[in-house]
Amino acid sequence: YVKPKHLDALTFALAPVVEGRMGCKFLWGEVKHLDGEDRVATIKPMFTDGLESIDFDYCIVAAGCNFGVFHKWGESLWFPTIHEAARPEGS
């Protein structure tokens, strides 16, 4: 349990850190396919309907916490179902 007023002290936005401090490109979306051998990811960027294929040197997947033991997709009160394929079964 965390007090809501402590949220800002415990969290940060990833995009400014990844792009500003690390010099990398931040992409916000859902990975649909990840080909590690060829280093290509197929993604669906947020707020779009189409898919994009991008190549990468390094790939960081930041999925957050999805540990809800009583739900098939790991859904909990703190982490709703966000994956497109899982939404029909989410609450």
Side-chain angles (χ1 to χ4, degrees):
Y1 173 77
V2 175
K3 291 183 181 180
K5 68 180 183 178
H6 293 161
L7 182 67
D8 288 341
L10 298 172
T11 63
F12 62 92
L14 286 173
V17 175
V18 170
E19 291 188 342
R21 296 202 156 206
M22 299 172 69
C24 299
K25 179 67 179 162
F26 178 84
L27 300 171
W28 186 22
E30 182 176 348
V31 176
K32 296 297 196 171
H33 180 74
L34 187 61
D35 183 345
E37 189 171 310
D38 290 332
R39 295 191 295 191
V40 174
T42 303
I43 64 167
K44 181 178 181 248
M46 288 298 292
F47 311 113
T48 64
D49 291 326
L51 298 177
E52 294 180 19
S53 289
I54 57 165
D55 59 328
F56 59 87
D57 294 320
Y58 297 94
C59 179
I60 299 171
V61 178
C65 174
N66 54 351
F67 183 69
V69 296
F70 302 113
H71 193 275
K72 175 181 177 181
W73 294 97
E75 184 176 271
S76 71
L77 293 173
W78 300 271
F79 189 82
T81 300
I82 60 166
H83 306 290
E84 185 176 42
R87 282 189 209 130
E89 296 180 49
S91 32

